[in-house]
């Protein structure tokens, strides 16, 4: 908060947000205002234009002394024009060198993004957005031949019923069922043939 207030409340977006962080970091690591960050110092000295509120005079003085720069009210565009690698003339020459049209749009891109802007206009820019590739499913392993199931155990033999145990033994029943056997507990066992399939049914008398 202190570096924002004393810096004149510059809009806290790139690059000013970095200026604030750098100065706050220096204040912690080197001591309060013992080391003025380059960007922060130039901002309070007016090299990027006027801040919404006048910076703290003491901070302006420290910045001027540490960066060895005077306070300025000059237009930042004029200041940039004197820098051989920041002015419009320099970047116009770079566009011409690369065979790129020197339109206002292209010139703006070159001045704003420097060498990355030139690379963009040449179609050589890299897209730094990670693309989510679809997951490649591993190929299923070949199935091993499963062993043949063991044969079902044969049903326990059923003792044949005597006429006393099943008086209707041998009598025809519905659906082709024939009395097959009876056990000593009074339950009857039938062998039933349905559409070529044979079933064994056990019937228990009702009390």
């Amino acid at each position: 908060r202190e570096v924002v207030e004393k810096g004149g409340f510059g809009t806290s977006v790139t690059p000013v947000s970095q200026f604030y962080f750098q100065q706050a970091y220096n204040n912690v690591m080197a001591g309060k205002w013992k080391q003025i960050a380059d960007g922060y110092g130039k901002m309070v000295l007016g090299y990027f234009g006027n801040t919404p509120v006048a910076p703290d005079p003491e901070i302006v003085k420290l910045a001027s002394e540490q960066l060895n720069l005077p306070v300025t009210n000059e237009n930042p565009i004029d200041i940039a024009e004197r820098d051989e690698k920041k002015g419009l003339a320099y970047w116009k020459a770079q566009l011409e060198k690369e065979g790129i049209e020197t339109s206002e749009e292209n010139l703006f891109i070159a001045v704003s993004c420097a060498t990355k802007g030139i690379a963009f206009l040449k179609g050589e820019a890299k897209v730094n957005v990670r693309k989510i590739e679809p997951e490649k499913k591993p190929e299923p392993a070949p199935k091993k031949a499963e062993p043949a199931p063991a044969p079902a155990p044969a049903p326990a033999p059923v003792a044949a019923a005597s006429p006393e145990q099943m008086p209707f033994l041998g009598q025809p029943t519905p659906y082709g069922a024939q009395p097959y056997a009876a056990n000593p507990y009074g339950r009857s066992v039938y062998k039933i043939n349905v559409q070529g399939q044979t079933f064994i049914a056990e019937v228990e008398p009702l009390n």
Side-chain angles (χ1 to χ4, degrees):
R1 176 178 176 177
E2 187 177 21
V3 297
V4 176
E5 291 177 346
K6 292 184 180 294
F9 291 95
T11 304
S12 186
V13 294
T14 301
V16 178
S17 55
Q18 282 88 333
F19 297 165
Y20 289 146
F21 169 79
Q22 290 161 355
Q23 189 57 56
Y25 179 84
N26 289 354
N27 285 355
V28 172
M29 301 304 294
K32 274 195 173 184
W33 311 111
K34 298 295 183 183
Q35 183 178 339
I36 300 295
D38 184 73
Y40 185 86
K42 288 181 177 178
M43 178 180 70
V44 300
L45 291 173
Y47 285 83
F48 304 131
N50 296 328
T51 52
V53 177
D56 185 280
E58 184 61 29
I59 301 305
V60 173
K61 179 182 177 183
L62 290 173
S64 180
E65 292 172 353
Q66 293 185 30
L67 300 182
N68 195 26
L69 290 171
V71 177
T72 181
N73 292 318
E74 192 175 1
N75 189 322
I77 295 177
D78 296 334
I79 296 173
E81 283 293 340
R82 290 199 300 271
D83 189 323
E84 62 177 15
K85 290 189 177 181
K86 289 184 179 178
L88 294 176
Y90 172 81
W91 288 108
K92 185 176 180 181
Q94 292 301 308
L95 291 174
E96 292 173 347
K97 179 182 176 181
E98 297 293 343
I100 302 171
E101 181 187 357
T102 56
S103 63
E104 288 187 354
E105 181 179 356
N106 290 349
L107 191 57
F108 175 80
I109 292 172
V111 172
S112 302
C113 304
T115 54
K116 290 185 178 180
I118 297 291
F120 170 79
L121 293 171
K122 291 172 65 178
E124 299 173 355
K126 294 181 179 179
V127 178
N128 292 322
V129 178
R130 291 188 298 172
K131 181 180 178 182
I132 300 176
E133 297 287 349
E135 292 186 9
K136 294 183 179 179
K137 295 183 179 180
E139 295 184 3
K143 291 185 177 180
K144 295 181 179 180
E146 297 182 1
V158 180
S162 65
E164 291 78 12
Q165 294 171 320
M166 187 179 293
F168 48 84
L169 189 64
Q171 300 293 326
T173 58
Y175 307 106
Q178 295 293 329
Y180 180 65
N183 60 37
Y185 303 102
R187 292 191 292 270
S188 303
V189 179
Y190 289 83
K191 183 178 181 181
I192 305 172
N193 192 324
V194 179
Q195 295 183 351
Q197 294 186 358
T198 302
F199 302 90
I200 303 298
E202 188 177 57
V203 179
E204 182 174 347
L206 297 175
N207 295 328

